[in-house]
Amino acid sequence: MYAITGATGNTGSVIAAKLLARGEKVRVIGRDASRLEGFVHKGAEAFVADVTDAAALTKAFTGTKAVYAMIPPNIAAPDASGYQERVNDALATAITNAGVGHAVVLSSIGVDKPDKTGPVVALHNLEQRLNSVAGLNALYIRASYFMQNTLAQIAVIQNFGILGGPLRADLPLAMIAARDIGEWAAEELLRLSFSGKQARELLGHRDLDYREVASIIGKAIGKPNLTYSQFPPMLIKPALLQSGMSSSMADLILEMSEALNSGYMAPLEPRSAQNTTPTSFETFVAEEFVPRFARSR
Ligand SMILES: NC(=O)c1ccc[n+]([C@@H]2O[C@H](COP(=O)([O-])OP(=O)(O)OC[C@H]3O[C@@H](n4cnc5c(N)ncnc54)[C@H](OP(=O)(O)O)[C@@H]3O)[C@@H](O)[C@H]2O)c1
């Protein structure tokens, strides 16, 4: 039995689907049984739990061969860091008390830094917490910038006719499709060949900056002259609040953006065949961005 947190999400859903397709037993974890039903029809066991509930997670992880652990985003949390640390407490407690042998853990580039990386500080702390769990074999997936982050641009395009955000227009970003993380994590869960505490960077298909992002999206949605503008934090924060983010989460996002812009937060490895994944940004745009953009009109 495998236990998958965030099973209805971008990465967890790919993992759960792949393990089920290989005939594995899977316990899918989420907050709402109805959203887990699709997996139940394919043979999964649904487990309704909040990731801040250590006792529930302990039950969910008990008797499993391996676990996929992640901190689900909660952009509306009034104390965003506090929420993330409550998840860390619950995950570490449950992994310890359930005696989990192997865990694949969603982490991020930038976790080599203990502070000033916004929401990534909590992933640094999660790795540190799990490093002290004796007997746990943990594989930390240090993923780069998700292509899914660009979906937030749909509202910007609708409102302003351009792309805009806090990142520098010419900042090369190693952009990864979340599905590639899921595919990679599923393979590792099936192989279970990792031991001790290991980290692997995944850097997506290639590096591209937001000028190129605008150009690729523009061509795909029939606006070939689409451009990107970097906006100052004082303009970005109200927009983030309006999108439903708490003030503390918006501050974390702006701190991370500054860390990326300055190069403080960056991959540690050069790009290689090992850390490059197959889905290109063009494919992501065609398959995920364009349909979402069309539905939003
Ligand atoms: N964005 C980036 O650039 C980036 C880069 C590196 C790492 N990361 C990491 O990736 C994570 C996001 O991964 P993802 O995209 O796979 O996640 P996701 O799709 O946003 O969310 C995963 C699932 O978690 C569940 N969930 C939410 N709150 C929960 C709670 N309190 N208790 C239990 N389940 C809950 C939700 O399912 P239900 O609604 O069904 O409960 C959701 O579908 C981030 O949090 C970050 O740690 C992100």
Side-chain angles (χ1 to χ4, degrees), residues 5-12 29-32 35-36 49-52 68 70-74 83-84 87 106-109 119-120 123 141-149 176 178 181 256:
T5 59
T8 62
N10 294 314
T11 56
I29 303 167
R31 292 165 299 177
D32 183 335
R35 284 201 287 274
L36 299 169
D50 194 285
V51 284
T52 56
Y68 176 65
M70 49 124 31
I71 308 179
N74 181 353
Y83 158 77
Q84 289 182 301
V87 179
L106 181 54
S107 183
S108 173
I109 61 159
V120 174
L123 293 169
I141 303 180
R142 294 184 176 173
S144 55
Y145 188 89
F146 284 14
M147 292 177 187
Q148 274 71 14
N149 298 341
I176 188 163
I181 301 171
M256 181 176 70

Side-chain angles (χ1 to χ4, degrees), residues 13-228:
S13 64
V14 176
I15 300 170
K18 186 155 183 164
L19 296 179
L20 287 167
R22 296 279 184 96
E24 298 291 337
K25 287 188 180 167
V26 178
R27 188 173 286 157
V28 285
I29 303 167
R31 292 165 299 177
D32 183 335
S34 68
R35 284 201 287 274
L36 299 169
E37 261 172 27
F39 292 118
V40 174
H41 289 140
K42 290 179 182 148
E45 179 190 310
F47 197 104
V48 174
D50 194 285
V51 284
T52 56
D53 183 343
L57 282 188
T58 303
K59 274 193 200 150
F61 292 171
T62 296
T64 56
K65 177 154 121 180
V67 162
Y68 176 65
M70 49 124 31
I71 308 179
N74 181 353
I75 63 163
D79 173 7
S81 301
Y83 158 77
Q84 289 182 301
E85 293 307 331
R86 286 206 308 283
V87 179
N88 283 352
D89 283 343
L91 286 172
T93 302
I95 284 172
T96 306
N97 292 349
V100 170
H102 284 81
V104 171
V105 182
L106 181 54
S107 183
S108 173
I109 61 159
V111 290
D112 51 301
K113 306 290 191 306
D115 61 4
K116 298 192 175 63
T117 58
V120 174
V121 172
L123 293 169
H124 165 91
N125 295 341
L126 178 60
E127 287 197 12
Q128 298 295 315
R129 289 285 297 268
L130 297 182
N131 282 345
S132 63
V133 178
L136 171 68
N137 300 295
L139 178 61
Y140 306 119
I141 303 180
R142 294 184 176 173
S144 55
Y145 188 89
F146 284 14
M147 292 177 187
Q148 274 71 14
N149 298 341
T150 65
L151 294 171
Q153 294 295 330
I154 290 174
V156 187
I157 299 169
Q158 307 285 25
N159 289 323
F160 304 106
I162 57 165
L163 267 67
L167 294 175
R168 271 176 26 220
D170 64 350
L171 177 74
L173 289 162
M175 286 203 190
I176 188 163
R179 78 162 84 135
D180 287 356
I181 301 171
E183 291 286 340
W184 196 89
E187 288 299 335
E188 291 295 337
L189 285 165
L190 287 163
R191 255 197 310 272
L192 284 191
S193 59
F194 56 93
S195 61
K197 312 293 191 286
Q198 295 179 21
R200 279 289 304 275
E201 284 192 343
L202 286 188
L203 304 183
H205 184 250
R206 68 184 170 96
D207 295 1
L208 62 170
D209 63 30
Y210 258 97
R211 290 174 307 197
E212 217 182 328
V213 166
S215 161
I216 294 166
I217 290 174
K219 281 189 196 114
I221 62 171
K223 295 178 191 290
N225 298 322
L226 201 62
T227 57
Y228 171 86

Side-chain angles (χ1 to χ4, degrees), residues 154 158 221 288-297:
I154 290 174
Q158 307 285 25
I221 62 171
E288 293 190 48
F289 192 100
V290 171
R292 194 82 80 90
F293 183 77
R295 282 199 299 275
S296 75
R297 281 194 285 190

